PDB file of all heavy atoms in Angstrom:
ATOM      1  N   VAL A   6     110.069  82.334 -11.774  1.00 84.00           N
ATOM      2  CA  VAL A   6     109.428  82.438 -13.082  1.00 84.00           C
ATOM      3  C   VAL A   6     107.954  82.760 -12.872  1.00 84.00           C
ATOM      4  O   VAL A   6     107.297  82.204 -11.994  1.00 84.00           O
ATOM      5  CB  VAL A   6     109.577  81.120 -13.873  1.00 84.00           C
ATOM      6  CG1 VAL A   6     108.831  81.187 -15.192  1.00 84.00           C
ATOM      7  CG2 VAL A   6     111.056  80.828 -14.117  1.00 84.00           C
ATOM      8  N   ILE A  11     106.321  83.348 -19.185  1.00 88.00           N
ATOM      9  CA  ILE A  11     105.893  82.343 -20.163  1.00 88.00           C
ATOM     10  C   ILE A  11     105.206  83.015 -21.347  1.00 88.00           C
ATOM     11  O   ILE A  11     105.474  82.700 -22.511  1.00 88.00           O
ATOM     12  CB  ILE A  11     104.941  81.333 -19.494  1.00 88.00           C
ATOM     13  CG1 ILE A  11     105.669  80.571 -18.383  1.00 88.00           C
ATOM     14  CG2 ILE A  11     104.384  80.343 -20.517  1.00 88.00           C
ATOM     15  CD1 ILE A  11     104.764  79.723 -17.520  1.00 88.00           C
ATOM     16  N   LEU A  26      97.189  77.190 -18.642  1.00 77.00           N
ATOM     17  CA  LEU A  26      97.715  76.426 -17.507  1.00 77.00           C
ATOM     18  C   LEU A  26      96.625  75.995 -16.540  1.00 77.00           C
ATOM     19  O   LEU A  26      96.794  75.030 -15.798  1.00 77.00           O
ATOM     20  CB  LEU A  26      98.758  77.258 -16.755  1.00 77.00           C
ATOM     21  CG  LEU A  26     100.063  77.539 -17.507  1.00 77.00           C
ATOM     22  CD1 LEU A  26     100.951  78.454 -16.689  1.00 77.00           C
ATOM     23  CD2 LEU A  26     100.796  76.254 -17.845  1.00 77.00           C
ATOM     24  N   ASN A  38      99.335  73.109 -25.267  1.00 76.00           N
ATOM     25  CA  ASN A  38     100.548  72.293 -25.246  1.00 76.00           C
ATOM     26  C   ASN A  38     101.810  73.150 -25.333  1.00 76.00           C
ATOM     27  O   ASN A  38     102.820  72.858 -24.689  1.00 76.00           O
ATOM     28  CB  ASN A  38     100.516  71.280 -26.389  1.00 76.00           C
ATOM     29  CG  ASN A  38      99.522  70.167 -26.143  1.00 76.00           C
ATOM     30  OD1 ASN A  38      99.131  69.913 -25.013  1.00 76.00           O
ATOM     31  ND2 ASN A  38      99.079  69.508 -27.192  1.00 76.00           N
ATOM     32  N   LYS A  39     101.757  74.236 -26.127  1.00 80.00           N
ATOM     33  CA  LYS A  39     102.906  75.142 -26.234  1.00 80.00           C
ATOM     34  C   LYS A  39     103.180  75.823 -24.896  1.00 80.00           C
ATOM     35  O   LYS A  39     104.329  75.969 -24.479  1.00 80.00           O
ATOM     36  CB  LYS A  39     102.651  76.195 -27.314  1.00 80.00           C
ATOM     37  CG  LYS A  39     102.752  75.678 -28.736  1.00 80.00           C
ATOM     38  CD  LYS A  39     102.516  76.804 -29.735  1.00 80.00           C
ATOM     39  CE  LYS A  39     102.652  76.297 -31.168  1.00 80.00           C
ATOM     40  NZ  LYS A  39     102.388  77.375 -32.168  1.00 80.00           N
ATOM     41  N   VAL A  40     102.109  76.229 -24.227  1.00 83.00           N
ATOM     42  CA  VAL A  40     102.264  76.904 -22.937  1.00 83.00           C
ATOM     43  C   VAL A  40     102.815  75.934 -21.893  1.00 83.00           C
ATOM     44  O   VAL A  40     103.725  76.283 -21.129  1.00 83.00           O
ATOM     45  CB  VAL A  40     100.915  77.501 -22.477  1.00 83.00           C
ATOM     46  CG1 VAL A  40     101.024  78.032 -21.047  1.00 83.00           C
ATOM     47  CG2 VAL A  40     100.481  78.611 -23.425  1.00 83.00           C
ATOM     48  N   ILE A  41     102.288  74.710 -21.847  1.00 80.00           N
ATOM     49  CA  ILE A  41     102.779  73.718 -20.884  1.00 80.00           C
ATOM     50  C   ILE A  41     104.252  73.393 -21.156  1.00 80.00           C
ATOM     51  O   ILE A  41     105.073  73.302 -20.230  1.00 80.00           O
ATOM     52  CB  ILE A  41     101.921  72.428 -20.941  1.00 80.00           C
ATOM     53  CG1 ILE A  41     100.519  72.703 -20.384  1.00 80.00           C
ATOM     54  CG2 ILE A  41     102.577  71.302 -20.149  1.00 80.00           C
ATOM     55  CD1 ILE A  41      99.578  71.524 -20.503  1.00 80.00           C
ATOM     56  N   LYS A  42     104.590  73.254 -22.428  1.00 76.00           N
ATOM     57  CA  LYS A  42     105.978  72.945 -22.775  1.00 76.00           C
ATOM     58  C   LYS A  42     106.916  74.080 -22.348  1.00 76.00           C
ATOM     59  O   LYS A  42     108.002  73.836 -21.805  1.00 76.00           O
ATOM     60  CB  LYS A  42     106.095  72.709 -24.284  1.00 76.00           C
ATOM     61  CG  LYS A  42     107.467  72.207 -24.720  1.00 76.00           C
ATOM     62  CD  LYS A  42     107.469  71.836 -26.196  1.00 76.00           C
ATOM     63  CE  LYS A  42     108.821  71.289 -26.623  1.00 76.00           C
ATOM     64  NZ  LYS A  42     108.841  70.924 -28.060  1.00 76.00           N
ATOM     65  N   LYS A  43     106.486  75.312 -22.573  1.00 82.00           N
ATOM     66  CA  LYS A  43     107.311  76.454 -22.171  1.00 82.00           C
ATOM     67  C   LYS A  43     107.404  76.542 -20.647  1.00 82.00           C
ATOM     68  O   LYS A  43     108.464  76.878 -20.095  1.00 82.00           O
ATOM     69  CB  LYS A  43     106.731  77.743 -22.742  1.00 82.00           C
ATOM     70  CG  LYS A  43     107.577  78.992 -22.456  1.00 82.00           C
ATOM     71  CD  LYS A  43     109.011  78.850 -22.980  1.00 82.00           C
ATOM     72  CE  LYS A  43     109.049  78.786 -24.514  1.00 82.00           C
ATOM     73  NZ  LYS A  43     110.456  78.743 -25.005  1.00 82.00           N
ATOM     74  N   ALA A  44     106.307  76.219 -19.940  1.00 81.00           N
ATOM     75  CA  ALA A  44     106.328  76.225 -18.477  1.00 81.00           C
ATOM     76  C   ALA A  44     107.347  75.218 -17.951  1.00 81.00           C
ATOM     77  O   ALA A  44     108.024  75.465 -16.944  1.00 81.00           O
ATOM     78  CB  ALA A  44     104.932  75.914 -17.933  1.00 81.00           C
ATOM     79  N   ILE A  45     107.464  74.089 -18.638  1.00 77.00           N
ATOM     80  CA  ILE A  45     108.443  73.068 -18.239  1.00 77.00           C
ATOM     81  C   ILE A  45     109.860  73.566 -18.520  1.00 77.00           C
ATOM     82  O   ILE A  45     110.759  73.424 -17.681  1.00 77.00           O
ATOM     83  CB  ILE A  45     108.175  71.754 -18.993  1.00 77.00           C
ATOM     84  CG1 ILE A  45     106.823  71.176 -18.585  1.00 77.00           C
ATOM     85  CG2 ILE A  45     109.276  70.737 -18.723  1.00 77.00           C
ATOM     86  CD1 ILE A  45     106.343  70.080 -19.490  1.00 77.00           C
ATOM     87  N   GLU A  46     110.059  74.167 -19.695  1.00 76.00           N
ATOM     88  CA  GLU A  46     111.384  74.685 -20.049  1.00 76.00           C
ATOM     89  C   GLU A  46     111.868  75.734 -19.043  1.00 76.00           C
ATOM     90  O   GLU A  46     113.039  75.746 -18.646  1.00 76.00           O
ATOM     91  CB  GLU A  46     111.344  75.304 -21.446  1.00 76.00           C
ATOM     92  CG  GLU A  46     111.190  74.304 -22.576  1.00 76.00           C
ATOM     93  CD  GLU A  46     111.082  74.989 -23.936  1.00 76.00           C
ATOM     94  OE1 GLU A  46     111.140  76.233 -23.965  1.00 76.00           O
ATOM     95  OE2 GLU A  46     110.930  74.282 -24.946  1.00 76.00           O
ATOM     96  N   LEU A  47     110.945  76.593 -18.612  1.00 80.00           N
ATOM     97  CA  LEU A  47     111.306  77.671 -17.699  1.00 80.00           C
ATOM     98  C   LEU A  47     111.232  77.254 -16.230  1.00 80.00           C
ATOM     99  O   LEU A  47     111.530  78.041 -15.339  1.00 80.00           O
ATOM    100  CB  LEU A  47     110.386  78.871 -17.934  1.00 80.00           C
ATOM    101  CG  LEU A  47     110.472  79.525 -19.321  1.00 80.00           C
ATOM    102  CD1 LEU A  47     109.504  80.691 -19.432  1.00 80.00           C
ATOM    103  CD2 LEU A  47     111.894  80.004 -19.616  1.00 80.00           C
ATOM    104  N   LYS A  48     110.789  75.978 -15.994  1.00 74.00           N
ATOM    105  CA  LYS A  48     110.673  75.422 -14.646  1.00 74.00           C
ATOM    106  C   LYS A  48     109.735  76.269 -13.777  1.00 74.00           C
ATOM    107  O   LYS A  48     110.064  76.686 -12.669  1.00 74.00           O
ATOM    108  CB  LYS A  48     112.047  75.263 -13.990  1.00 74.00           C
ATOM    109  CG  LYS A  48     112.960  74.310 -14.772  1.00 74.00           C
ATOM    110  CD  LYS A  48     114.194  73.953 -14.012  1.00 74.00           C
ATOM    111  CE  LYS A  48     115.077  72.981 -14.785  1.00 74.00           C
ATOM    112  NZ  LYS A  48     114.394  71.720 -15.126  1.00 74.00           N
ATOM    113  N   TYR A  49     108.543  76.489 -14.324  1.00 80.00           N
ATOM    114  CA  TYR A  49     107.521  77.260 -13.617  1.00 80.00           C
ATOM    115  C   TYR A  49     106.777  76.380 -12.623  1.00 80.00           C
ATOM    116  O   TYR A  49     106.128  75.404 -12.998  1.00 80.00           O
ATOM    117  CB  TYR A  49     106.537  77.863 -14.624  1.00 80.00           C
ATOM    118  CG  TYR A  49     105.344  78.553 -13.995  1.00 80.00           C
ATOM    119  CD1 TYR A  49     105.490  79.762 -13.323  1.00 80.00           C
ATOM    120  CD2 TYR A  49     104.073  77.992 -14.093  1.00 80.00           C
ATOM    121  CE1 TYR A  49     104.404  80.392 -12.754  1.00 80.00           C
ATOM    122  CE2 TYR A  49     102.972  78.624 -13.524  1.00 80.00           C
ATOM    123  CZ  TYR A  49     103.147  79.820 -12.861  1.00 80.00           C
ATOM    124  OH  TYR A  49     102.057  80.435 -12.305  1.00 80.00           O
ATOM    125  N   LYS A  50     106.879  76.695 -11.336  1.00 71.00           N
ATOM    126  CA  LYS A  50     106.156  76.036 -10.255  1.00 71.00           C
ATOM    127  C   LYS A  50     106.133  74.519 -10.403  1.00 71.00           C
ATOM    128  O   LYS A  50     107.151  73.863 -10.483  1.00 71.00           O
ATOM    129  CB  LYS A  50     104.749  76.623 -10.153  1.00 71.00           C
ATOM    130  CG  LYS A  50     104.733  78.053  -9.625  1.00 71.00           C
ATOM    131  CD  LYS A  50     103.320  78.540  -9.357  1.00 71.00           C
ATOM    132  CE  LYS A  50     103.344  79.916  -8.724  1.00 71.00           C
ATOM    133  NZ  LYS A  50     101.975  80.423  -8.457  1.00 71.00           N
ATOM    134  N   GLN A  51     104.889  73.938 -10.491  1.00 60.00           N
ATOM    135  CA  GLN A  51     104.767  72.477 -10.477  1.00 60.00           C
ATOM    136  C   GLN A  51     105.294  71.810 -11.738  1.00 60.00           C
ATOM    137  O   GLN A  51     105.428  70.591 -11.801  1.00 60.00           O
ATOM    138  CB  GLN A  51     103.311  72.045 -10.256  1.00 60.00           C
ATOM    139  CG  GLN A  51     102.362  72.375 -11.396  1.00 60.00           C
ATOM    140  CD  GLN A  51     101.657  73.696 -11.185  1.00 60.00           C
ATOM    141  OE1 GLN A  51     102.237  74.602 -10.609  1.00 60.00           O
ATOM    142  NE2 GLN A  51     100.413  73.791 -11.613  1.00 60.00           N
ATOM    143  N   PHE A  52     105.610  72.608 -12.789  1.00 66.00           N
ATOM    144  CA  PHE A  52     106.121  72.029 -14.030  1.00 66.00           C
ATOM    145  C   PHE A  52     107.629  71.825 -13.993  1.00 66.00           C
ATOM    146  O   PHE A  52     108.210  71.246 -14.907  1.00 66.00           O
ATOM    147  CB  PHE A  52     105.759  72.935 -15.217  1.00 66.00           C
ATOM    148  CG  PHE A  52     104.281  73.069 -15.433  1.00 66.00           C
ATOM    149  CD1 PHE A  52     103.574  74.099 -14.845  1.00 66.00           C
ATOM    150  CD2 PHE A  52     103.589  72.155 -16.204  1.00 66.00           C
ATOM    151  CE1 PHE A  52     102.207  74.232 -15.025  1.00 66.00           C
ATOM    152  CE2 PHE A  52     102.227  72.267 -16.386  1.00 66.00           C
ATOM    153  CZ  PHE A  52     101.528  73.307 -15.786  1.00 66.00           C
ATOM    154  N   ALA A  53     108.270  72.283 -12.920  1.00 59.00           N
ATOM    155  CA  ALA A  53     109.728  72.192 -12.834  1.00 59.00           C
ATOM    156  C   ALA A  53     110.226  70.763 -12.738  1.00 59.00           C
ATOM    157  O   ALA A  53     111.377  70.484 -13.032  1.00 59.00           O
ATOM    158  CB  ALA A  53     110.223  72.990 -11.623  1.00 59.00           C
ATOM    159  N   PHE A  54     109.350  69.831 -12.340  1.00 53.00           N
ATOM    160  CA  PHE A  54     109.778  68.442 -12.142  1.00 53.00           C
ATOM    161  C   PHE A  54     109.854  67.664 -13.438  1.00 53.00           C
ATOM    162  O   PHE A  54     110.332  66.557 -13.471  1.00 53.00           O
ATOM    163  CB  PHE A  54     108.818  67.723 -11.180  1.00 53.00           C
ATOM    164  CG  PHE A  54     107.370  67.793 -11.578  1.00 53.00           C
ATOM    165  CD1 PHE A  54     106.898  67.038 -12.619  1.00 53.00           C
ATOM    166  CD2 PHE A  54     106.494  68.632 -10.899  1.00 53.00           C
ATOM    167  CE1 PHE A  54     105.572  67.099 -12.989  1.00 53.00           C
ATOM    168  CE2 PHE A  54     105.164  68.694 -11.267  1.00 53.00           C
ATOM    169  CZ  PHE A  54     104.703  67.930 -12.319  1.00 53.00           C
ATOM    170  N   MET A  55     109.351  68.226 -14.550  1.00 56.00           N
ATOM    171  CA  MET A  55     109.276  67.464 -15.799  1.00 56.00           C
ATOM    172  C   MET A  55     110.435  67.806 -16.730  1.00 56.00           C
ATOM    173  O   MET A  55     111.042  68.872 -16.633  1.00 56.00           O
ATOM    174  CB  MET A  55     107.953  67.745 -16.513  1.00 56.00           C
ATOM    175  CG  MET A  55     106.742  67.304 -15.740  1.00 56.00           C
ATOM    176  SD  MET A  55     105.234  67.619 -16.667  1.00 56.00           S
ATOM    177  CE  MET A  55     104.028  67.199 -15.425  1.00 56.00           C
ATOM    178  N   GLU A  56     110.711  66.898 -17.632  1.00 52.00           N
ATOM    179  CA  GLU A  56     111.743  67.095 -18.637  1.00 52.00           C
ATOM    180  C   GLU A  56     111.081  67.378 -19.974  1.00 52.00           C
ATOM    181  O   GLU A  56     110.269  66.595 -20.455  1.00 52.00           O
ATOM    182  CB  GLU A  56     112.635  65.852 -18.755  1.00 52.00           C
ATOM    183  CG  GLU A  56     113.382  65.495 -17.477  1.00 52.00           C
ATOM    184  CD  GLU A  56     114.417  66.534 -17.114  1.00 52.00           C
ATOM    185  OE1 GLU A  56     114.891  67.241 -18.037  1.00 52.00           O
ATOM    186  OE2 GLU A  56     114.745  66.655 -15.926  1.00 52.00           O
ATOM    187  N   THR A  57     111.447  68.516 -20.583  1.00 50.00           N
ATOM    188  CA  THR A  57     110.815  68.926 -21.843  1.00 50.00           C
ATOM    189  C   THR A  57     110.986  67.877 -22.932  1.00 50.00           C
ATOM    190  O   THR A  57     110.068  67.610 -23.701  1.00 50.00           O
ATOM    191  CB  THR A  57     111.431  70.251 -22.329  1.00 50.00           C
ATOM    192  OG1 THR A  57     111.406  71.185 -21.257  1.00 50.00           O
ATOM    193  CG2 THR A  57     110.663  70.795 -23.517  1.00 50.00           C
ATOM    194  N   ASP A  58     112.147  67.260 -22.994  1.00 48.00           N
ATOM    195  CA  ASP A  58     112.406  66.297 -24.064  1.00 48.00           C
ATOM    196  C   ASP A  58     111.494  65.090 -23.994  1.00 48.00           C
ATOM    197  O   ASP A  58     111.241  64.424 -24.987  1.00 48.00           O
ATOM    198  CB  ASP A  58     113.864  65.830 -24.023  1.00 48.00           C
ATOM    199  CG  ASP A  58     114.836  66.940 -24.369  1.00 48.00           C
ATOM    200  OD1 ASP A  58     114.391  67.921 -25.002  1.00 48.00           O
ATOM    201  OD2 ASP A  58     116.014  66.830 -24.004  1.00 48.00           O
ATOM    202  N   ASN A  59     110.978  64.794 -22.803  1.00 47.00           N
ATOM    203  CA  ASN A  59     110.157  63.599 -22.641  1.00 47.00           C
ATOM    204  C   ASN A  59     108.666  63.864 -22.751  1.00 47.00           C
ATOM    205  O   ASN A  59     107.873  62.941 -22.801  1.00 47.00           O
ATOM    206  CB  ASN A  59     110.434  62.971 -21.267  1.00 47.00           C
ATOM    207  CG  ASN A  59     111.833  62.417 -21.183  1.00 47.00           C
ATOM    208  OD1 ASN A  59     112.361  61.956 -22.177  1.00 47.00           O
ATOM    209  ND2 ASN A  59     112.430  62.491 -20.013  1.00 47.00           N
ATOM    210  N   LEU A  60     108.284  65.147 -22.745  1.00 48.00           N
ATOM    211  CA  LEU A  60     106.860  65.491 -22.753  1.00 48.00           C
ATOM    212  C   LEU A  60     106.396  65.807 -24.170  1.00 48.00           C
ATOM    213  O   LEU A  60     107.092  66.471 -24.937  1.00 48.00           O
ATOM    214  CB  LEU A  60     106.614  66.692 -21.847  1.00 48.00           C
ATOM    215  CG  LEU A  60     105.144  66.982 -21.600  1.00 48.00           C
ATOM    216  CD1 LEU A  60     104.585  66.001 -20.578  1.00 48.00           C
ATOM    217  CD2 LEU A  60     104.953  68.399 -21.127  1.00 48.00           C
ATOM    218  N   LEU A  61     105.215  65.341 -24.502  1.00 47.00           N
ATOM    219  CA  LEU A  61     104.574  65.648 -25.776  1.00 47.00           C
ATOM    220  C   LEU A  61     105.464  65.267 -26.956  1.00 47.00           C
ATOM    221  O   LEU A  61     105.490  65.935 -27.984  1.00 47.00           O
ATOM    222  CB  LEU A  61     104.227  67.152 -25.845  1.00 47.00           C
ATOM    223  CG  LEU A  61     103.355  67.664 -24.691  1.00 47.00           C
ATOM    224  CD1 LEU A  61     103.253  69.183 -24.743  1.00 47.00           C
ATOM    225  CD2 LEU A  61     101.985  67.035 -24.718  1.00 47.00           C
ATOM    226  N   LEU A  75      95.618  70.234 -12.724  1.00 74.00           N
ATOM    227  CA  LEU A  75      97.030  69.946 -12.523  1.00 74.00           C
ATOM    228  C   LEU A  75      97.408  70.278 -11.085  1.00 74.00           C
ATOM    229  O   LEU A  75      97.108  71.374 -10.600  1.00 74.00           O
ATOM    230  CB  LEU A  75      97.886  70.786 -13.480  1.00 74.00           C
ATOM    231  CG  LEU A  75      98.155  70.172 -14.849  1.00 74.00           C
ATOM    232  CD1 LEU A  75      98.872  71.179 -15.729  1.00 74.00           C
ATOM    233  CD2 LEU A  75      98.974  68.903 -14.727  1.00 74.00           C
ATOM    234  N   GLU A  90     107.212  60.367 -13.825  1.00 86.00           N
ATOM    235  CA  GLU A  90     107.743  60.710 -15.147  1.00 86.00           C
ATOM    236  C   GLU A  90     109.149  60.161 -15.355  1.00 86.00           C
ATOM    237  O   GLU A  90     109.476  59.624 -16.416  1.00 86.00           O
ATOM    238  CB  GLU A  90     107.719  62.233 -15.317  1.00 86.00           C
ATOM    239  CG  GLU A  90     107.921  62.717 -16.754  1.00 86.00           C
ATOM    240  CD  GLU A  90     109.377  62.793 -17.146  1.00 86.00           C
ATOM    241  OE1 GLU A  90     110.235  62.959 -16.249  1.00 86.00           O
ATOM    242  OE2 GLU A  90     109.660  62.676 -18.349  1.00 86.00           O
ATOM    243  N   LEU A 100     105.439  60.947 -21.533  1.00 88.00           N
ATOM    244  CA  LEU A 100     104.262  61.343 -20.770  1.00 88.00           C
ATOM    245  C   LEU A 100     103.606  62.548 -21.433  1.00 88.00           C
ATOM    246  O   LEU A 100     104.264  63.564 -21.688  1.00 88.00           O
ATOM    247  CB  LEU A 100     104.656  61.701 -19.338  1.00 88.00           C
ATOM    248  CG  LEU A 100     103.511  62.078 -18.400  1.00 88.00           C
ATOM    249  CD1 LEU A 100     102.628  60.862 -18.116  1.00 88.00           C
ATOM    250  CD2 LEU A 100     104.049  62.666 -17.101  1.00 88.00           C
ATOM    251  N   ILE A 102     100.153  65.196 -21.079  1.00 87.00           N
ATOM    252  CA  ILE A 102      99.177  65.647 -20.089  1.00 87.00           C
ATOM    253  C   ILE A 102      97.905  66.106 -20.795  1.00 87.00           C
ATOM    254  O   ILE A 102      97.960  66.862 -21.767  1.00 87.00           O
ATOM    255  CB  ILE A 102      99.751  66.791 -19.238  1.00 87.00           C
ATOM    256  CG1 ILE A 102     100.945  66.291 -18.423  1.00 87.00           C
ATOM    257  CG2 ILE A 102      98.684  67.372 -18.314  1.00 87.00           C
ATOM    258  CD1 ILE A 102     101.633  67.373 -17.631  1.00 87.00           C
TER     259      ILE A 102
END
Side-chain angles (χ1 to χ4, degrees):
V6 176
I11 297 170
L26 292 176
N38 288 339
K39 286 181 179 178
V40 172
I41 291 175
K42 187 173 182 180
K43 184 57 66 176
I45 295 167
E46 290 177 1
L47 297 179
K48 299 191 179 301
Y49 173 71
K50 290 188 175 180
Q51 67 266 33
F52 297 92
F54 54 74
M55 297 182 187
E56 299 293 335
T57 309
D58 293 340
N59 293 327
L60 190 77
L61 304 171
L75 272 174
E90 194 277 334
L100 183 68
I102 296 176

